[in-house]
């Protein structure tokens, strides 16, 4: 039986947060609108940096596709801190929008992609080992400003140096990671977790095909296109995901959703690529019942506040 909710101010008000480039939401996110309406929760779409939005008028503010924040992260984090009803909450947003959280998770024993960091103004030496590497900023969304470099290729070596210098000149921290070749065959596995009465529960998994074909040559849109298919999660992947989520500061009960992105490492065992807690695509169109499960998760958090 579907439960209907009413706020103390009347009909519940829920905002689904997006950016100016996606004023109608990402099509995948729109799949939750009907299940929400069936629960008596008519959701409204709102742009995060729209000065005319009264965020205090909402019972719940759900981050979905504010994908233009990367170059204005300080502004975005400050906005998040001003929205009391935000999920995932502002403390999580602050922690998760800087990928240096990977170092913290690695320190707790979570298997992660080996990563080195280049601070702005810091000199960077190319890795001594040839092979393929991924370069990207520590603050980014949608695989923007991300490139793949074969250090056996002199041109790629020059482009890699230029990429890091470009990020440094913009005051951005660069990440350097070995390219995990298994992504070319196995792909990347994203495990999706949604809130339930007792905390996060595994919902579904998808496969993402390889996206990086070469060096980053400049802006190419809000996000890179992805090749997505449904996937069955394996026990070892779920185990890494659970270990990752157990290390989230503040625990997982505060979370509406989480996405754990994994790729097999050189030994075939899954390693964490990213933990997406701020604005991940949830791929609810790729699993039966997932739109309803997301609506139920939103209703769960709404019930805690109304």
């Amino acid at each position: 039986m579907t439960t209907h909710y009413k706020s103390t101010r009347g009909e519940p008000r829920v905002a689904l947060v997006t950016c100016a480039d996606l004023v109608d939401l990402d099509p995948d996110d729109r799949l939750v609108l009907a299940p929400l309406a069936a629960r008596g929760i008519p959701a409204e779409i709102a742009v995060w940096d729209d000065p005319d939005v009264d965020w205090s008028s909402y019972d719940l503010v759900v981050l979905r596709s504010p994908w233009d924040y990367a170059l204005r992260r300080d502004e975005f984090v400050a906005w998040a801190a001003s929205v009391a009803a935000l999920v995932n909450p502002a403390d999580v947003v602050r922690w998760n929008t800087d990928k240096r959280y990977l170092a913290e998770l690695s320190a707790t024993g979570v298997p992660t992609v080996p990563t080195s960091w280049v601070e702005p103004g810091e000199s960077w030496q190319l890795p001594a080992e040839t092979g393929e590497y991924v370069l990207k900023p520590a603050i980014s969304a949608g695989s923007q400003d991300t490139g793949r470099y074969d250090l056996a290729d002199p041109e790629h070596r020059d482009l890699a140096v230029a990429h890091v210098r470009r990020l440094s000149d913009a005051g951005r921290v660069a990440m350097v990671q070995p390219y995990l070749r298994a992504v070319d065959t196995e792909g990347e596995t994203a495990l999706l977790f949604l809130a339930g009465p007792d905390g996060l529960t595994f919902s579904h998994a998808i496969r993402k095909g390889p996206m990086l074909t070469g060096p980053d040559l400049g802006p190419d849109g809000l996000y890179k296109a992805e090749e997505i298919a449904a996937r069955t999660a394996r026990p070892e992947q779920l185990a890494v995901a659970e270990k990752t989520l157990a290390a989230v500061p503040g625990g997982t009960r505060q979370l509406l959703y989480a996405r754990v992105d994994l790729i097999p490492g050189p030994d075939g065992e899954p390693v964490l690529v990213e933990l997406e807690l701020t604005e991940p695509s949830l791929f609810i169109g790729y699993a039966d019942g997932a739109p309803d499960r997301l609506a139920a998760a939103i209703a769960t958090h709404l019930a805690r506040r109304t």
Side-chain angles (χ1 to χ4, degrees), residues 183 187-190 206-210 226-228 259 261 283:
V183 74
E188 184 175 325
T189 299
I206 59 95
R207 177 192 185 275
K208 292 197 289 184
E226 297 177 318
E227 177 190 320
I228 307 298
R259 197 183 86 198
D261 295 343
F283 306 113

Side-chain angles (χ1 to χ4, degrees), residues 15-297:
L16 301 180
V17 180
T18 186
C19 62
D21 290 326
L22 289 169
V23 292
D24 292 323
L25 288 180
D26 183 73
D28 189 70
D29 286 328
R30 292 190 63 82
L31 298 175
V32 78
L33 296 176
L36 282 174
R39 286 174 162 75
I41 306 172
E44 303 171 31
I45 302 168
V47 174
W48 73 271
D49 57 352
D50 183 345
D52 295 327
V53 177
D54 179 8
W55 299 104
S56 67
S57 69
Y58 292 102
D59 297 288
L60 198 68
V61 178
V62 180
L63 284 167
R64 286 312 317 122
S65 48
W67 294 334
D68 62 353
Y69 76 84
L71 296 180
R72 294 184 290 155
R73 188 248 183 179
D74 288 347
E75 179 185 347
F76 181 66
V77 168
W79 166 81
S82 75
V83 182
L86 190 70
V87 286
N88 287 334
D91 286 349
V92 171
V93 169
R94 183 182 301 106
W95 180 75
N96 189 240
T97 49
D98 187 326
K99 293 181 177 62
R100 282 177 285 187
Y101 69 77
L102 287 171
E104 296 181 37
L105 293 176
S106 178
T108 70
V110 174
T112 62
V113 180
T115 306
S116 58
W117 313 88
V118 186
E119 300 287 336
E122 186 176 52
S123 62
W124 178 61
Q125 298 295 323
L126 284 163
E129 304 85 359
T130 57
E132 292 188 286
Y133 286 81
V134 173
L135 301 180
K136 58 185 174 182
I139 298 170
S140 66
S143 296
Q144 294 175 313
D145 302 306
T146 301
R148 171 181 172 182
Y149 299 88
D150 181 354
L151 298 191
D153 183 328
E155 182 181 5
H156 278 219
R157 294 177 69 87
D158 291 342
L159 289 171
V161 171
H163 188 166
V164 172
R165 184 183 302 117
R166 184 166 66 249
L167 294 176
S168 179
D169 289 347
R172 306 174 77 185
V173 176
M175 304 169 57
V176 183
Q177 299 173 322
Y179 184 76
L180 300 180
R181 298 301 300 270
V183 74
D184 293 332
T185 51
E186 171 80 4
E188 184 175 325
T189 299
L191 305 179
L192 288 304
F193 293 79
L194 299 173
D198 299 318
L200 287 183
T201 302
F202 175 68
S203 171
H204 59 285
I206 59 95
R207 177 192 185 275
K208 292 197 289 184
M211 293 189 298
L212 301 180
T213 57
D216 174 58
L217 300 177
D220 56 359
L222 190 61
Y223 56 87
K224 293 184 186 295
E226 297 177 318
E227 177 190 320
I228 307 298
R231 165 163 277 176
T232 300
R234 298 194 297 270
E236 62 270 23
Q237 294 172 327
L238 289 167
V240 171
E242 295 289 354
K243 187 170 188 176
T244 300
L245 293 172
V248 173
T252 59
R253 184 172 172 77
Q254 64 186 319
L255 304 180
L256 173 66
Y257 50 67
R259 197 183 86 198
V260 182
D261 295 343
L262 305 173
I263 296 176
D267 62 357
E269 294 299 312
V271 297
L272 179 70
V273 180
E274 287 190 23
L275 171 60
E276 298 271 13
L277 303 178
T278 302
E279 31 62 36
S281 294
L282 297 175
F283 306 113
I284 56 176
Y286 291 86
D288 291 343
D292 195 65
R293 290 193 290 277
L294 177 56

